[in-house]
Amino acid sequence: MVWASSRFGFHNYFAAGATSAGARLDYWRAAVQTTAKNPLAGSGPGTFQRPYEQIKSPDAEMARLAHNDYLEQFSDSGIPGGIFYGAWIVFALVTVGKQVWKTGNQIIFAIFIGLLGWFVQGVGEFSLYIPALAWTAFTLLGCSLALTGNRFDKDPAAG
């Protein structure tokens, strides 16, 4: 076992105490503190690093993002913005999920599972702030809403 861990380079990572996980907890704590300090408007779009620089521990590494798309939204946009973003994501995924369940469309199901994974990954990463990833995910989300025959924005009287 020692041979395998040293051969693949994981031994040093785990021996150091998985510092990435500890750093993320510190970023998340800072995002919560920033949200509490600016509950209505947040600190502004893409500004997490500014308040983090003021409240981080002296020995902590600097970060530009909170490494959590949802906490980043709360920190940057305040409680209303964070709730709106989270509710929008949940609403879109539930809408697509219901249609996938009803129709059994395997293509939409595959897209749905990929999107679900992307949005779950947002709890520990910042893919929302990488334009190529965000545009792809939101385009697929919009396309899957359209392909499921979603009618939430149609007039029921029009048929």
Side-chain angles (χ1 to χ4, degrees):
M1 183 67 175
V2 173
W3 173 80
S5 63
S6 63
R7 181 171 186 246
F8 296 109
F10 299 125
H11 176 73
N12 291 337
Y13 174 78
F14 288 110
T19 58
S20 179
R24 276 179 170 71
L25 292 175
D26 190 49
Y27 307 151
W28 299 349
R29 175 196 53 78
V32 170
Q33 285 180 334
T34 302
T35 303
K37 187 175 179 183
N38 306 296
L40 292 178
S43 61
T47 61
F48 173 77
Q49 72 182 24
R50 290 189 178 115
Y52 182 66
E53 187 174 32
Q54 302 299 317
I55 60 177
K56 75 177 187 69
S57 305
D59 59 331
E61 65 184 34
M62 190 56 204
R64 293 182 56 205
L65 300 166
H67 290 66
N68 180 314
D69 284 339
Y70 306 99
L71 289 177
E72 182 88 30
Q73 284 301 308
F74 278 95
S75 174
D76 290 358
S77 305
I79 293 171
I83 289 172
F84 181 75
Y85 175 73
W88 178 65
I89 295 301
V90 168
F91 173 76
L93 288 174
V94 166
T95 300
V96 172
K98 282 181 180 180
Q99 291 299 321
V100 167
W101 184 262
K102 287 179 188 176
T103 63
N105 184 318
Q106 293 178 352
I107 300 290
I108 303 289
F109 176 74
I111 294 170
F112 171 74
I113 292 299
L115 287 169
L116 184 62
W118 190 83
F119 287 111
V120 168
Q121 180 197 17
V123 172
E125 278 298 331
F126 49 86
S127 358
L128 178 63
Y129 286 84
I130 301 172
L133 297 177
W135 294 343
T136 303
F138 289 124
T139 299
L140 286 172
L141 183 60
C143 289
S144 61
L145 279 167
L147 291 173
T148 59
N150 172 38
R151 301 287 180 229
F152 69 86
D153 58 349
K154 302 290 183 194
D155 181 10

